[in-house]
Amino acid sequence: AGVPAVAAEFEFRLQFAVPSQPSLLFSGVNALEIPFAGGHRLTGGDLQRHGARQLSLAGAATFDFDVSASMAGTTRYFQVWFRDPADPTGFGVGLTAALAVTYCE
């Protein structure tokens, strides 16, 4: 029997960001820390976008995407970018901390 193309669905939830602002989830295969838009980008290498979402009135969003069986044993580092009109650095951007996810079989 073959390996299924989709092993599971992954759900990433963001809470407590700036209400009603656009956001973007992205990930990379490396953890890093480089200056970016008044904060720090904490993901690198093979950057992928996982969708844009409008944050709710509570500053929350959910990002869903499929995880393939070929991803087993790999790790990706996730971070969310969002608009922040009150950003004191003047960039108008907020960045979350990074989340490391290792996919299991």
Side-chain angles (χ1 to χ4, degrees), residues 20-31:
S20 303
Q21 295 297 316
S23 66
L24 174 67
L25 173 65
F26 58 96
S27 71
V29 294
N30 299 323

Side-chain angles (χ1 to χ4, degrees), residues 8-95:
E9 186 174 280
F10 182 80
E11 182 177 88
F12 184 98
R13 294 182 187 176
L14 172 65
Q15 296 180 321
F16 310 115
V18 180
S20 303
Q21 295 297 316
S23 66
L24 174 67
L25 173 65
F26 58 96
S27 71
V29 294
N30 299 323
L32 54 81
E33 185 173 343
I34 60 171
F36 180 78
H40 289 91
R41 195 179 91 204
L42 303 172
T43 61
D46 185 31
L47 282 179
Q48 294 179 4
R49 292 182 178 188
H50 299 284
R53 301 285 185 274
Q54 186 75 15
L55 298 174
S56 72
L57 293 174
T62 300
F63 302 84
D64 297 317
F65 55 94
D66 294 330
V67 176
S68 69
S70 66
M71 296 169 75
T74 65
T75 300
R76 290 199 72 86
Y77 300 87
F78 292 84
Q79 189 172 20
V80 177
W81 166 95
F82 55 91
R83 289 265 182 226
D84 183 358
D87 172 28
T89 67
F91 285 92
V93 171
L95 293 163

